[in-house]
Amino acid sequence: LKKVGNMEAEKEAAVLKVAGDKYRSFLDEESKNTQWRHGGPPIYDDVNQLFEDGRTQVWPEGSLEEIVQNAIKTWEMELSHKTRIQDFKTINPEHFKLIVNGRKGLSGEETLKLGSYNALLKSNLPEEFKYYKADEESFESSHDAFRSAFPRGFAWEVISVHSGPPVIAYKFRHWGYFEGPFKGHAPTGEMVEFYGMGILKVDESLRAEDVEIYYDPGELFAGLLKGAPISESQTDEQHNPDSTSTTRCPFQ
């Protein structure tokens, strides 16, 4: 009986761990074997609240839309907070490729090295026309820039799903409030948002093999560059170095 009681307690503890975030899996389970970028699983309380307050769709539990939405949130969490590709559970690392706006695909290791912002914001435009120079940003500097601009996080939702696995086509929306400085521009306090389309190819275990994303970066930067120019010293004054946002997923 004691053994059975211990087994039940272990099962209950496991359920509680997995339920650490209702929109993302793999946050607490097997954490002893996972190398986290900031020393432990991230906390999403603020951006989850932003998501719930601002989403345009509330998908039924267990629906294809909810499954796709949570799967992509989990993939982005792993990309931003896990440091080893072998710790990822949402992708097939041997076949994974990220393609953004038709550019050359990036492998899992290449995407992890660049970080989500640099991978998504690389551009083939001439230097003088680039809103954001991904080649000059590190993983850390890119995330710091957007954490500063969106202190409450950058929420993401699925707007619609047009096909199921193994090839999932979907439309998404990304939004946040420009409440902190960004690259020499003062915050406006206004909502910044953009829409896009994605095509996700998965294997028999529902791990992503190909991720294609199409969107207009101009929709994002139109809001971020709208703020009045400010000096570097003003940027430092507005940015709070003691913020706990490093424990949150910046793109989420």
Side-chain angles (χ1 to χ4, degrees), residues 103 114-143 145-146 182-183 185 215 217 220-221 224-225:
R103 294 193 301 271
L114 288 171
S116 54
Y117 286 113
N118 289 334
L120 292 167
L121 294 173
K122 287 178 69 69
S123 172
N124 296 325
L125 289 171
E127 289 297 314
E128 62 269 26
F129 297 122
K130 287 184 179 179
Y131 315 111
Y132 174 90
K133 298 183 178 181
D135 293 337
E136 298 179 6
E137 299 285 347
S138 66
F139 183 108
E140 291 75 17
S141 68
S142 64
H143 284 226
F146 285 91
F182 177 80
K183 296 289 185 182
H185 291 268
Y215 76 106
L220 168 63
F221 289 106
L224 291 174
L225 302 182

Side-chain angles (χ1 to χ4, degrees), residues 32-95:
K32 291 182 179 179
N33 300 319
T34 299
Q35 290 189 6
W36 296 99
R37 190 171 298 277
H38 302 295
I43 299 171
Y44 285 90
D45 292 350
D46 288 350
V47 76
N48 284 348
Q49 189 64 56
L50 179 67
F51 165 73
E52 290 169 1
D53 291 342
R55 60 185 170 181
T56 61
Q57 308 289 335
V58 180
W59 300 115
E61 184 176 354
S63 65
L64 177 61
E65 291 84 359
E66 186 205 41
I67 291 171
V68 172
Q69 182 169 264
N70 292 354
I72 295 175
K73 285 177 182 287
T74 302
W75 168 67
E76 198 284 327
M77 175 276 295
E78 292 191 310
L79 177 59
S80 294
H81 290 279
K82 293 183 177 181
T83 61
R84 302 185 306 179
I85 201 71
Q86 61 263 37
D87 292 334
F88 282 45
K89 301 180 184 299
T90 57
I91 71 169
N92 183 337
E94 295 180 1
H95 300 284

Side-chain angles (χ1 to χ4, degrees), residues 174-189:
H174 233 320
W175 77 98
Y177 287 88
F178 185 19
E179 297 169 327
F182 177 80
K183 296 289 185 182
H185 291 268
T188 63

Side-chain angles (χ1 to χ4, degrees), residues 4-5 28 57 82 97 99 105-106 108 112 122 124 132 135 148 150 163 182 192 218 222-223 239 248:
V4 172
D28 293 323
Q57 308 289 335
K82 293 183 177 181
K97 185 177 294 184
I99 300 169
L106 299 170
L112 179 59
K122 287 178 69 69
N124 296 325
Y132 174 90
D135 293 337
S148 171
F150 300 114
S163 63
F182 177 80
V192 175
H239 179 64
R248 297 199 305 269

